[in-house]
Amino acid sequence: MVILDNHLTIPGWCCSRTDGNGFFGDTYFDPDLWIEGLTKMATLFKNNPNVVGMSLRNELRGPKENANDWYRYMQKGAEAVHRANPNVLVILSGLNFDKDLSFLQTKPVTLSFQSKIVFEVHWYAFSDGSAWKDGNPDQVCSRVVANYMRMSGFLLDQGYPLFVSEWGVNLRGTNINDNRYLNCFLTWVAEHDLDWALWTLVGSYYLREGVVGMVEYYGVLDSDWRSVRNSSFLDRISAIQSPLQGAEKSHRKTPQKMIYHPSTGLCIIRKSLTEVMLGKCSEFNIWSYTSQKSLNMNGPFFCMKAHGSDHLVTLSIFCQGTGTSWEPMSDSKLHLSTRVEGNATLCLDVDERNNVVTSGCKCLKGDKLCDPESQWFKIVDAGWSTGKVFIDGVDMAAQLAMV
């Protein structure tokens, strides 16, 4: 699938607040010429089924940006694209480098069509300066996610699609700011089942900012354009590449859950009758999260149980008492905690051998040098069940009815 993106008027590296390309009426941004260009591109690709959407303008910004002109021109641009190509999705970006759509909370767009509007947002680690490196990751994640929900995520509650049209990290794995951001970002995307586009595929540039052959360390490809720069990164993001929840929920009964570990990109799955392990999220087992805060696998028959600090987590049929009630805690709500014998609070964790264990909850407050990534888990909606419970392919309700 292809989305056409109107990036800059004057070709070059994007972007700055003073490059003259940032907002309607800037030196190189004539709104009438822009609408003419959108119309021509929408017409050119009208009969190409691979072109599914048009993003009207990348990263609006600069001293002239304001909401009134945003409504005036973005609505004109949207209508122009729709007239030229009634089938293509119309993607609207916000203000402040595509981070701010908050003005839509009180005044929605007014268009002659509704069912194909998509809003887009950009989110990088550097969108928040050096906050991830300079602060406690758990507290920063909580604060930044709350801000993104306030600035753009609220559109999901209004029923609009939200598309993360740019995100990415330095794939050398050496940037602390990027590494910490990534764990938080992946949980946010998984939780809301967002569509996204990664910056970037390219491994290098013919010419960028006057430099010939500049290497792109955010690129999936290496500078030779043949090998993959970081294959473990591709494994890690595989869980969010496919839809998790599905579009149709009305005929389903029970929300299915998966337990997602963003640091590895894996999910907790069954290893044997009573053992669990980290495995591919595409092979996840169905979990439910009950009102008693029990995590049950494949219905009420087996639950996740803790047995003490640095002990393996298991599946048990004894689902009351210590070690069976799991509650999200910490500012980020990404630590899953439980109480064990002696009233000690432990958190779900992954040890150095990738075993699922419980250990003392870490990095909850203050310490900016502490990284909680091994203890971050997210209980994520992952489709909806019909109400039947299967274990190893057996319909358990039917089997119990025969007893």
Side-chain angles (χ1 to χ4, degrees), residues 373-394:
E373 66 173 4
S374 69
Q375 290 191 347
W376 273 4
F377 290 84
K378 188 69 178 181
I379 303 171
V380 175
D381 285 344
W384 292 65
S385 74
T386 58
K388 288 191 174 184
V389 176
F390 292 86
I391 297 181
D392 296 332
V394 178

Side-chain angles (χ1 to χ4, degrees), residues 128-362:
D128 305 292
S130 60
W132 298 96
K133 177 174 67 71
D134 296 339
N136 173 274
D138 195 83
Q139 293 174 303
V140 173
C141 181
S142 173
R143 183 173 69 249
V144 170
V145 166
N147 183 60
Y148 265 84
M149 292 304 294
R150 180 176 60 85
M151 301 295 277
S152 60
F154 67 91
L155 289 163
L156 297 168
D157 295 329
Q158 294 183 2
Y160 289 107
L162 184 64
F163 171 43
V164 186
S165 55
E166 276 192 35
W167 69 278
V169 294
N170 186 320
L171 292 179
R172 291 177 294 181
T174 57
N175 188 303
I176 295 175
N177 215 46
D178 280 1
N179 295 345
R180 291 178 170 183
Y181 142 87
L182 182 58
N183 290 316
C184 182
F185 174 82
L186 292 177
T187 59
W188 185 65
V189 169
E191 177 183 7
H192 298 287
D193 196 18
L194 298 176
D195 289 323
W196 48 267
L198 176 69
W199 184 277
T200 180
L201 176 66
V202 307
S204 62
Y205 300 90
Y206 293 122
L207 180 68
R208 171 178 157 182
E209 299 174 284
V211 178
V212 176
M214 181 184 286
V215 176
E216 173 57 89
Y217 292 113
Y218 279 54
V220 170
L221 297 178
D222 215 332
S223 55
D224 60 10
W225 283 68
R226 290 190 296 271
S227 54
V228 172
R229 186 179 303 279
N230 186 335
S231 59
S232 64
F233 172 77
L234 295 184
D235 292 337
R236 188 173 170 188
I237 66 172
S238 63
I240 62 168
Q241 285 184 276
S242 299
L244 298 176
Q245 298 175 19
E248 296 296 330
K249 299 180 181 180
S250 59
H251 66 290
R252 309 293 180 89
K253 293 182 179 180
T254 308
Q256 299 173 174
K257 306 287 186 180
M258 70 181 191
I259 306 174
Y260 175 57
H261 187 243
S263 178
T264 59
L266 301 174
C267 290
I268 298 180
I269 65 173
R270 168 180 263 147
K271 181 179 180 181
S272 67
L273 184 64
T274 60
E275 295 177 299
V276 296
M277 60 182 284
L278 289 179
K280 292 182 179 180
C281 294
S282 59
E283 302 170 1
F284 80 96
N285 297 98
I286 298 171
W287 294 86
S288 61
Y289 188 50
T290 72
S291 58
Q292 291 77 36
K293 300 180 181 178
S294 174
L295 280 166
N296 295 346
M297 178 177 282
N298 295 321
F301 307 105
F302 290 91
C303 64
M304 191 163 69
K305 184 176 177 65
H307 301 277
S309 183
D310 300 321
H311 285 68
L312 294 174
V313 169
T314 66
L315 294 173
S316 174
I317 59 173
F318 301 104
C319 297
Q320 295 181 347
T322 59
T324 62
S325 177
W326 299 88
E327 186 169 5
M329 65 174 293
S330 75
D331 288 6
S332 70
K333 303 301 182 187
L334 295 178
H335 291 78
L336 281 177
S337 66
T338 189
R339 290 189 179 274
V340 294
E341 295 291 342
N343 207 32
T345 298
L346 299 177
C347 280
L348 200 60
D349 204 347
V350 175
D351 68 15
E352 64 276 3
R353 296 182 298 277
N354 256 19
N355 294 315
V356 182
V357 299
T358 47
S359 61
C361 303
K362 63 183 181 182

